[in-house]
Amino acid sequence: MSRYKQLADKCVADIQAGRLKPGTRMPSLRQFARQQQISVSTAVSCYQELTALGWLCARPQSGFYITALDTSHPLPEWRSFASRVSTPARTQTTVERGPLGVSHSPLSEQDVQDLDVCFRRALKRIGNRLSRYPDYQGEVPLRQSLATHLTGQGFPVLADELVITHGCLSAVKTALETCTRPGDAVAVNSPCFNGLLELLAQMSLNIVEIPTLEDGLDLVQLEHHLQAGTIQAGLFSTSFMNPQGITLSVAQKQQLAELARRYQTPIIEDDVYLELSHQGDFVLPAKYYDADGYLLWCGSVSKTLSPSYRLGWCLPGRFKEAYLAKFAAGSYGVATQIQLAIADFIDTGHYARFLRKKRMQLLGQKQAYLDYLRQHLPAQTRISVPQGGLVLWLQFPGLDSAGLAQAIAEAQVDIRLGPLFTSLGHYQDCLRINIGYPLDEMVKPELDKLIALLNRFTETGYH
């Protein structure tokens, strides 16, 4: 990574940690250059990067200032409620249409070219693997590459502990098949990604929604259900949750691992957004604190690279043998060439460089979406400010949700409304939008249509 980008990342981390205060003046370019022992041109590039991402603003004849926090729109409210067993609805998976609906971020032309080179090299190296089924656990080169990559981030993993799957949802599904039977109840965070609710419904599993509060999951209620034996497993996102964007604190992740150990109950960790921190740092999963193997940690490249590869993985812990038997029986492994190509992408350093670029890109896009929405939506609108991931969670107190749902369907605006993320009828005044695409001429017309509808239906609800 270039020096100016390293410095920009450091400044962003200092702002977000509160070491640099919004509204304060930054050192002059020459002073900053002297402090950091860099050239003035590198200092200029750093400040330009921070300005483009929305962290600095230039004032004529005055200098550069840290952008003041916009408090015109509060954060969404996190509602507590009494958890109980419920049945998720069987719904039809939504077909991907517009850029605001599905949580996704496109690849650049350069990214595609880099991946294409890796695929060509993989095909040359595949050799006699073409005449046999893939390794059921996953090809050794990919498991080794992933283990090295994760270990380098501070999350020590052994290649033999990993199982390669057909994406994160496949990893989660196999984990559920390993740990539950139809009719069992699974604890989930609420709101919960609608794709997981659909999966649980199709598997004839009940759920217990655990409220998401401002400081994370309501672990008191979770422990109550563990003590009572109400639930047979847990399924939680812990970093940059979809849809609300919350990341559990280190203390909460430690508690989650401890609860799984104490009650000997498997907890599945869906960590598909783990590497998309907007701060540029790697957030350790709850699995890191799991000394007894009761957490089954699932991830993939679907949100970082491409959902079309259908490549994911699981660290099943103490459930490895049962997990591998379940997965192998239903799939006979994952396509070999894709595994070898992604291993090459990781080994050549492309993946690490790609992630650094993607994180900074998402940081800038998040700021652009926030600025645009704050300018065009009512002041009562509550908007999340996630520190990672691909989505924003919006709340409109008093929203006419039924009217909005019909209008959105008629206008063919592709977003996800709040009730999709619960089985209990909550979040009627909420919706989720994807920020994975740049806010450009392709996205703005869709966003403008949505804003017009929201202004129309929130005006009714706010009077």
Side-chain angles (χ1 to χ4, degrees), residues 171-229:
V172 170
K173 182 175 185 289
T174 303
L176 288 167
E177 290 171 339
T178 303
C179 300
T180 65
R181 296 177 296 176
D184 282 353
V186 178
V188 299
N189 41 269
S190 182
C192 177
F193 167 50
N194 61 295
L196 292 178
L197 294 180
E198 291 175 13
L199 173 63
L200 291 159
Q202 292 298 329
M203 295 181 69
S204 299
L205 291 166
N206 296 314
I207 62 174
V208 175
E209 294 189 33
I210 305 297
T212 301
L213 307 176
E214 188 173 0
D215 59 349
L217 285 173
D218 187 340
L219 295 179
V220 173
Q221 288 207 56
L222 175 61
E223 183 166 15
H224 167 75
H225 288 288
L226 287 168
Q227 286 176 333

Side-chain angles (χ1 to χ4, degrees), residues 113-127 129 336-337 339-351 353:
Q113 290 174 15
D114 291 341
L115 283 160
D116 185 51
V117 171
C118 294
F119 269 88
R120 289 202 298 270
R121 277 200 295 258
L123 188 58
K124 289 179 181 179
R125 296 170 181 169
I126 201 167
R129 288 186 178 94
T336 302
Q337 187 186 355
Q339 293 192 61
L340 297 182
I342 299 306
D344 187 277
F345 195 69
I346 295 170
D347 292 340
T348 53
H350 283 305
Y351 191 50
R353 291 191 294 272

Side-chain angles (χ1 to χ4, degrees), residues 94 97-98 100-102 404 408 412-417 420-421 430-434 446-447 450 454:
T94 304
R97 295 198 304 267
L100 300 177
V102 176
L404 177 63
I408 282 175
Q412 295 187 323
V413 177
D414 186 24
I415 60 162
R416 301 294 178 267
L417 295 174
L420 274 176
F421 302 96
C430 296
L431 59 86
R432 188 203 77 182
I433 65 170
N434 176 47
E446 287 293 300
L447 191 56
L450 172 62
L454 288 168

Side-chain angles (χ1 to χ4, degrees), residues 335-383:
T336 302
Q337 187 186 355
I338 289 179
Q339 293 192 61
L340 297 182
I342 299 306
D344 187 277
F345 195 69
I346 295 170
D347 292 340
T348 53
H350 283 305
Y351 191 50
R353 291 191 294 272
F354 168 83
L355 286 172
R356 287 195 294 267
K357 181 181 68 173
K358 178 63 72 176
R359 289 165 182 153
M360 291 300 287
Q361 175 191 333
L362 289 174
L363 175 63
Q365 286 171 200
K366 176 183 72 176
Q367 194 59 49
Y369 277 81
L370 287 172
D371 290 345
Y372 200 77
L373 291 168
R374 286 165 175 164
Q375 290 171 17
H376 295 91
L377 288 174
Q380 300 97 322
T381 307
R382 295 176 173 268
I383 308 175

Side-chain angles (χ1 to χ4, degrees), residues 31-220:
Q31 184 182 1
F32 186 74
R34 286 195 300 270
Q35 289 173 343
Q36 303 296 333
Q37 298 183 338
I38 57 175
S39 66
V40 172
S41 63
T42 301
V44 169
S45 297
C46 176
Y47 278 25
Q48 286 177 339
E49 178 83 357
L50 290 166
T51 302
L53 293 172
W55 293 102
L56 295 186
C57 59
R59 297 180 187 175
Q61 284 78 53
S62 181
F64 289 87
Y65 288 77
I66 300 169
T67 304
L69 294 175
D70 187 334
T71 57
S72 60
H73 290 74
L75 296 174
E77 295 176 328
W78 309 116
R79 306 164 183 164
S80 183
F81 56 85
S83 297
R84 59 178 176 82
V85 176
S86 60
T87 302
R90 293 175 183 259
T91 57
Q92 185 175 2
T93 301
T94 304
V95 177
E96 183 175 345
R97 295 198 304 267
L100 300 177
V102 176
S103 173
H104 171 58
S105 181
L107 294 169
S108 70
E109 289 185 14
Q110 184 60 56
D111 298 330
V112 173
Q113 290 174 15
D114 291 341
L115 283 160
D116 185 51
V117 171
C118 294
F119 269 88
R120 289 202 298 270
R121 277 200 295 258
L123 188 58
K124 289 179 181 179
R125 296 170 181 169
I126 201 167
N128 63 2
R129 288 186 178 94
L130 276 175
S131 61
R132 64 175 189 258
Y133 283 102
D135 185 326
Y136 293 170
Q137 187 174 344
E139 296 296 331
V140 172
L142 176 58
R143 288 191 279 119
Q144 289 177 334
S145 298
L146 280 170
T148 301
H149 170 71
L150 293 168
T151 300
Q153 303 295 320
F155 179 31
V157 170
L158 294 175
D160 190 54
E161 297 173 330
L162 284 160
V163 178
I164 306 302
T165 65
H166 297 284
C168 191
L169 202 60
S170 165
V172 170
K173 182 175 185 289
T174 303
L176 288 167
E177 290 171 339
T178 303
C179 300
T180 65
R181 296 177 296 176
D184 282 353
V186 178
V188 299
N189 41 269
S190 182
C192 177
F193 167 50
N194 61 295
L196 292 178
L197 294 180
E198 291 175 13
L199 173 63
L200 291 159
Q202 292 298 329
M203 295 181 69
S204 299
L205 291 166
N206 296 314
I207 62 174
V208 175
E209 294 189 33
I210 305 297
T212 301
L213 307 176
E214 188 173 0
D215 59 349
L217 285 173
D218 187 340
L219 295 179
V220 173

Side-chain angles (χ1 to χ4, degrees), residues 255-275:
Q255 285 180 265
L256 194 61
E258 170 58 20
L259 288 173
R261 183 202 65 80
R262 188 185 310 159
Y263 295 97
Q264 298 184 0
T265 301
I267 290 181
I268 302 159
E269 186 175 13
D270 174 2
D271 231 357
V272 72
Y273 294 99
L274 180 72
E275 299 210 76

